[in-house]
């Protein structure tokens, strides 16, 4: 893990988000790799592993932000929400371990989210995928190249990634409507972690990510800002604009789509 001094006194918000997400992810990966407990629960994973990962990543991120951005507010899934954040001009929104169940089950589809909201909008962020050794971010010097499709696919189906446990209730009707409009069949891909699903869009392996309910700001902030910086579109499932630093910190549904598929999805969903 990099020492704090290696960040530099004048590290930008984009690079800080990238480095924090990547280092927290590396730490979690090593922690799980060295974990030796064999107990499992009804979800098929280790509660001790999940809780330990959540705490370690949270403590790391909050500690580094206190060191490098001491005047900024922080909203983390693993900390009690402080209403004072609503009056803050800068707010870091973090999910120290997105996809906790998948992490505890030994799966690869989990992530670390770090995002910065400033003066009404998301301005920086990163999504680290430790098992893939990839970090997508708004950092122009560090971000990975994307594989966004320039046109609708012709040699494969349109692929939409959804939650492996809570896909949208209307997803079959949505898929049928998209096929009707585009004449291209739709294939559903099921995964955990909002960050892992957004990364599939950025990598060009799927064309959109849909989730209709039950998302918090820490689930969505980093995937959204990275997707927007990469040229994708993002909006709420009901068609409205995404807003962050709200009370309560919920955005409910989310859509992230390539520019090519965006108009078809907007037409189908509204």
């Amino acid at each position: 893990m990099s020492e704090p001094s290696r960040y530099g006194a004048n590290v930008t918000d984009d690079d800080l988000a990238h480095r924090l997400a990547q280092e927290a992810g590396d730490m979690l990966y090593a922690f799980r790799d060295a974990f030796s407990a064999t107990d499992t629960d009804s979800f098929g994973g280790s509660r001790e592993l999940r809780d330990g990962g959540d705490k370690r990543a949270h403590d790391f991120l909050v500690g580094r932000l206190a060191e490098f951005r001491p005047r900024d507010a922080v909203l983390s899934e693993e900390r009690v929400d402080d209403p004072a954040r609503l009056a803050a001009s800068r707010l870091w929104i973090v999910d120290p371990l997105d996809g906790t169940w998948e992490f505890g089950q030994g799966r690869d589809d989990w992530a670390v989210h770090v995002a910065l909201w400033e003066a009404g909008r998301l301005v920086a962020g990163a999504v680290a995928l430790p098992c893939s050794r990839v970090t997508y971010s708004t950092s122009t010097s560090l971000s990975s190249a994307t594989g966004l499709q320039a046109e609708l696919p012709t040699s494969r189906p349109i692929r939409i990634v959804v939650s492996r446990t809570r896909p949208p209730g209307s997803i079959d009707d949505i898929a049928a409507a998209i096929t009707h409009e585009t004449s291209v069949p739709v294939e559903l891909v099921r995964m955990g972690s909002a960050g892992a699903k957004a990364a599939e869009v950025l990598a060009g392996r799927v064309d959109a990510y849909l989730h209709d309910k039950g998302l918090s700001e820490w689930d969505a902030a980093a995937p959204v800002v990275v997707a927007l910086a990469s040229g994708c579109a993002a909006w709420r499932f009901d068609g409205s604009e995404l807003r962050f630093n709200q009370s309560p910190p919920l955005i409910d549904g989310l859509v992230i789509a390539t520019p090519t598929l965006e108009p078809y999805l907007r037409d189908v969903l509204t």
Side-chain angles (χ1 to χ4, degrees):
M1 186 188 304
S2 301
E3 292 300 321
S5 60
R6 293 182 61 184
Y7 291 173
N10 299 313
V11 62
T12 66
D13 292 328
D14 298 287
D15 285 358
L16 181 60
H18 185 113
R19 292 175 187 272
L20 292 181
Q22 181 172 286
E23 292 184 9
D26 290 345
M27 179 182 63
L28 285 167
Y29 187 91
F31 171 65
R32 189 174 75 170
D33 188 55
F35 197 78
S36 59
T38 58
D39 65 302
T40 61
D41 57 22
S42 59
F43 293 96
S46 167
R47 180 174 181 178
E48 184 183 355
L49 176 58
R50 295 193 303 266
D51 291 350
D54 278 330
K55 185 178 188 309
R56 282 166 170 77
H58 168 82
D59 290 348
F60 171 81
L61 292 174
V62 171
R64 287 293 191 264
L65 288 171
E67 181 176 0
F68 288 95
R69 297 294 188 268
R71 295 184 178 85
D72 295 351
V74 178
L75 172 65
S76 169
E77 181 180 14
E78 304 306 320
R79 185 163 75 179
V80 175
D81 187 12
D82 182 357
R85 69 173 169 82
L86 297 170
S89 59
R90 285 168 53 94
L91 173 72
W92 291 89
I93 305 173
V94 302
D95 192 340
L97 176 48
D98 185 62
T100 306
W101 297 112
E102 288 75 16
F103 176 80
Q105 293 166 349
R107 295 172 59 91
D108 292 347
D109 45 343
W110 54 276
V112 177
H113 298 177
V114 178
L116 174 62
W117 175 95
E118 182 175 14
R121 65 187 185 94
L122 296 172
V123 296
V127 174
L129 288 302
C131 293
S132 302
R133 294 293 191 264
V134 173
T135 299
Y136 292 96
S137 79
T138 56
S139 170
T140 56
S141 61
L142 295 173
S143 60
S144 302
T146 63
L148 301 185
Q149 299 294 316
E151 55 188 24
L152 287 175
T154 56
S155 60
R156 64 162 176 83
I158 292 171
R159 296 193 182 111
I160 297 177
V161 63
V162 297
S163 170
R164 69 186 183 95
T165 57
R166 294 178 297 155
S170 57
I171 191 61
D172 290 337
D173 291 338
I174 293 169
I178 292 173
T179 296
H180 178 76
E181 290 213 5
T182 64
S183 299
V184 180
V186 172
E187 176 185 341
L188 299 180
V189 179
R190 299 174 187 269
M191 296 180 65
S193 171
K197 290 192 279 286
E200 290 296 292
V201 182
L202 300 180
R205 291 186 286 268
V206 305
D207 305 286
Y209 160 36
L210 271 64
H211 195 103
D212 63 347
K213 56 186 175 182
L215 284 181
S216 299
E217 291 189 15
W218 46 75
D219 295 314
V224 165
V225 70
V226 172
L228 292 174
S230 300
C232 290
W235 66 96
R236 283 183 50 163
F237 195 84
D238 64 6
S240 61
E241 180 184 356
L242 289 160
R243 297 183 183 276
F244 293 86
N245 199 16
Q246 302 292 298
S247 180
L250 300 173
I251 66 157
D252 211 8
L254 174 64
V255 179
I256 293 176
T258 62
T260 304
L261 194 58
E262 176 190 2
Y264 299 100
L265 269 175
R266 286 192 182 272
D267 185 53
V268 167
L269 293 173
T270 55

